[in-house]
Amino acid sequence: MAQVYRGGQPYGTGHPALLTPHEVRTHEFSPRRRGVDPAEVRRFQSRLADELAGLYQEIRVLAQENDRLGRALRDWQTRQAAQTRHAAQCRPPNGGRW
C-alpha cells in the first residue's frame, strides 16, 4: 500500500500534520444561512497561505544553516582532536624538564 503524505510527512509517523499553503488556499467551508462573505474568506485564506509558505521557507533556510553549522563544528572538533594528538606525540620523553 502506498504511503499518503501530508505536509511532507507520511501519515502515522507520529509527527503532527502541518497544513500546507495549498490546503489553506483550497479548503472549502460548509455553507451556512448566516455565513460570511466568501470573497473575504478567500482573501484571508490567500494571506494565511502566503504567510505559511514564507514560514516554511524560513524553516528550510534555518535547517540548512543549522546543518552547515553542525558540519563546521564537527570539522573544528576533528581538527582540535588531531592537534591534541599531535601535540601529545611531540612531547619530550622527560615531560619537558631539563
Side-chain angles (χ1 to χ4, degrees), residues 43-57:
R43 283 192 302 273
F44 178 77
Q45 284 178 304
S46 180
R47 186 173 141 215
L48 179 59
D50 290 344
E51 285 185 32
L52 274 176
L55 290 172
Y56 289 161
Q57 176 61 29

Side-chain angles (χ1 to χ4, degrees), residues 12-89:
T13 60
H15 297 286
L18 300 175
L19 284 174
T20 65
H22 175 72
E23 289 174 316
V24 171
R25 280 191 179 93
T26 59
H27 182 78
E28 294 290 328
F29 295 92
S30 303
R32 297 279 187 243
R33 184 185 305 245
R34 293 182 180 213
V36 294
D37 179 15
E40 187 177 346
V41 170
R42 292 291 174 217
R43 283 192 302 273
F44 178 77
Q45 284 178 304
S46 180
R47 186 173 141 215
L48 179 59
D50 290 344
E51 285 185 32
L52 274 176
L55 290 172
Y56 289 161
Q57 176 61 29
E58 188 174 344
I59 288 170
R60 279 190 296 276
V61 167
L62 291 173
Q64 290 170 351
E65 178 71 4
N66 188 36
D67 290 343
R68 186 190 67 77
L69 290 172
R71 284 191 307 274
L73 176 60
R74 283 189 297 279
D75 291 347
W76 179 84
Q77 289 171 329
T78 301
R79 285 192 311 273
Q80 292 302 310
Q83 287 176 359
T84 302
R85 282 192 303 272
H86 179 68
Q89 293 170 354

